[in-house]
Amino acid sequence: MKILLTGDRPSGPLHLGHLVGSLENRVKLQELYNSFILVADTQALTDNYHQPDLVKEHVLDLVADYLAVGLDPEKCNICLQSALPELLELTQILSNLTNFEELKHNPTLKTELAQKKINNLSFISYPVSQAADILGFNADVVPVGGDQEPILQLTNKLARKFNEMYKVELLKRIEGVYSETPRLKGVDGSSKMSKSLNNAIFLKDSLKEIKKKVNAMYTDPLHVKISDPGHIEGNVVFYYLDIFDEDKLGLEELKIAYQKGGISDGATKERLVRVLEAKIGPIRAKREEIRAKPEYLKAVLKQGTEAARKQVQSKIEEMRKILFLNL
Ligand code: TRP
């Protein structure tokens, strides 16, 4: 079976953007690959080093989110980055082969550095550490968002450099599996959904919170009276209905009626709340049930991490031999 690696930084709760952009895909892929899902707490600390308690708090939350959306510990290995110290050793080895000037121009990193206004060394070198994750796991496929593509290119470059430098065929070329769903927009309708932009609907949101967020959505400034014709274009409620409403026929009828006039924004929002609750409600319920069992979540993480450790150790042993670090 081919090996799949992907993961998330535990720095906040997962939201609808994660669900449609990556989680649903992972649930399918766990049937087809030997899957490792990395809870990247060490990476999360590179930009959250001033609040380790926040990272800690989100580790089990993330595991709960994973299980609630259908990742199955019998089918995939959910593992903890900080419990895999071999990855740090591998980062160091790959750092030898990393050109600093080139790294600084990595588009993923450049964007994040500008956004976060930080310049600590561990953050600047996180793409190298992510390459180490990928190569350490001997991954064949790495499903990530399109914004991470430059990191995968760096990974392939480092693998090739290593193999050429030491005249071995040890590190594997990976295929990126970029998510096909375009980035889900936030409830503000403008930029991509993200916790830091304060425009996210979280998988743990209560019905009340969902209602509040939907009610605040931008609709149509020309639709003043209910009888006025409404516009679909730019209407955030319809943007979400298009993505999440499974009753396509009913939705088409609603659109026609709305454009004619006579349908209130309250009614379209009510429909959206129903549709979102149908999606999130079961996830929330399962999440609450398992989040109340931290021992179970820890056991899942432990089991996945043990499997991951075996995987990573065999790779690092080979590398130590090549670099004479095995005396
Ligand atoms: N950078 C990823 C994120 O921000 C998390 C991550 C860490 C990752 N290591 C990885 C993803 C290895 C894929 C493969 O969500």
Side-chain angles (χ1 to χ4, degrees):
M1 231 192 217
K2 284 193 172 184
I3 300 161
L4 177 150
L5 175 71
T6 187
D8 299 279
R9 295 177 194 164
S11 53
L14 298 186
H15 52 61
L16 275 182
H18 293 114
L19 185 67
V20 297
S22 65
L23 298 170
E24 288 182 333
N25 194 30
R26 290 181 196 175
V27 172
K28 286 191 206 124
L29 294 176
Q30 69 180 342
E31 309 288 340
L32 307 174
Y33 292 93
N34 181 12
S35 295
F36 293 90
I37 314 290
L38 188 65
V39 176
D41 57 346
T42 306
Q43 188 179 110
L45 281 173
T46 61
D47 60 330
N48 289 289
Y49 51 85
H50 52 295
Q51 41 188 3
D53 46 335
L54 173 131
V55 174
K56 172 189 172 260
E57 188 191 317
H58 284 112
V59 167
L60 292 188
D61 271 0
L62 188 56
V63 179
D65 278 337
Y66 285 162
L67 300 181
V69 299
L71 286 173
D72 178 350
E74 299 298 317
K75 294 181 183 161
C76 69
N77 302 293
I78 301 175
C79 49
L80 187 64
Q81 192 179 30
S82 61
L84 301 163
E86 292 82 2
L87 295 176
L88 294 176
E89 194 177 339
L90 226 159
T91 303
Q92 172 72 7
I93 292 172
L94 295 179
S95 297
N96 291 336
L97 306 177
T98 304
N99 181 305
F100 182 48
E101 282 310 312
E102 258 175 50
L103 180 62
K104 278 196 298 192
H105 291 107
N106 183 295
T108 314
L109 181 66
K110 237 175 146 171
T111 316
E112 276 181 286
L113 283 176
Q115 276 170 359
K116 295 177 199 274
K117 300 191 177 70
I118 52 175
N119 68 353
N120 52 308
L121 188 54
S122 61
F123 192 81
I124 291 170
S125 66
Y126 102 76
V128 183
S129 134
Q130 189 158 323
D133 298 339
I134 295 166
L135 298 172
F137 276 89
N138 205 27
D140 295 287
V141 296
V142 183
V144 286
D147 59 335
Q148 301 256 307
E149 189 173 351
I151 297 192
L152 302 196
Q153 286 163 350
L154 172 73
T155 306
N156 278 335
K157 188 167 184 183
L158 288 172
R160 187 166 43 79
K161 255 189 170 175
F162 185 94
N163 290 343
E164 282 174 8
M165 175 80 60
Y166 304 112
K167 301 189 176 44
V168 290
E169 271 308 318
L170 183 72
L171 301 181
K172 209 155 50 180
R173 193 181 165 76
I174 43 144
E175 307 156 34
V177 180
Y178 305 106
S179 137
E180 283 168 30
T181 351
R183 290 287 170 143
L184 186 70
K185 284 186 199 164
V187 291
D188 55 2
S190 52
S191 29
K192 95 174 196 211
M193 183 175 282
S194 115
K195 181 182 66 98
S196 52
L197 294 174
N198 224 341
N199 64 3
I201 296 180
F202 297 107
L203 301 181
K204 68 181 178 77
D205 275 352
S206 65
L207 178 56
K208 206 171 148 202
E209 283 162 318
I210 295 175
K211 274 187 187 155
K212 204 172 135 205
K213 290 175 185 179
V214 169
N215 282 333
M217 279 178 187
Y218 180 89
T219 53
D220 175 9
L222 300 172
H223 187 225
V224 184
K225 286 189 279 156
I226 294 182
S227 55
D228 289 340
H231 296 81
I232 308 282
E233 186 79 5
N235 189 318
V236 184
V237 177
F238 281 101
Y239 167 78
Y240 278 95
L241 282 172
D242 270 333
I243 296 172
F244 293 102
D245 196 338
E246 283 168 12
D247 174 14
K248 296 293 171 212
L249 220 61
L251 178 58
E252 281 318 305
E253 282 168 12
L254 177 71
K255 280 186 184 174
I256 293 167
Y258 184 80
Q259 284 169 305
K260 259 199 211 143
I263 304 284
S264 72
D265 286 314
T268 63
K269 286 179 170 175
E270 238 170 66
R271 181 178 177 114
L272 180 58
V273 168
R274 231 184 316 117
V275 164
L276 292 180
E277 175 62 12
K279 185 109 196 159
I280 293 180
I283 298 177
R284 182 201 309 124
K286 180 146 186 225
R287 189 186 191 281
E288 274 168 17
E289 182 200 320
I290 46 187
R291 189 65 188 88
K293 299 180 202 158
E295 292 313 316
Y296 169 67
L297 295 173
K298 281 184 201 163
V300 166
L301 205 48
K302 187 155 182 259
Q303 176 192 313
T305 304
E306 274 164 16
R309 193 120 200 242
K310 283 201 194 105
Q311 184 75 10
V312 175
Q313 265 167 352
S314 70
K315 191 55 88 182
I316 194 73
E317 269 162 30
E318 296 287 328
M319 295 178 93
R320 284 185 195 139
K321 272 188 222 152
I322 293 164
L323 292 160
F324 308 112
L325 298 172
N326 60 336
L327 298 181

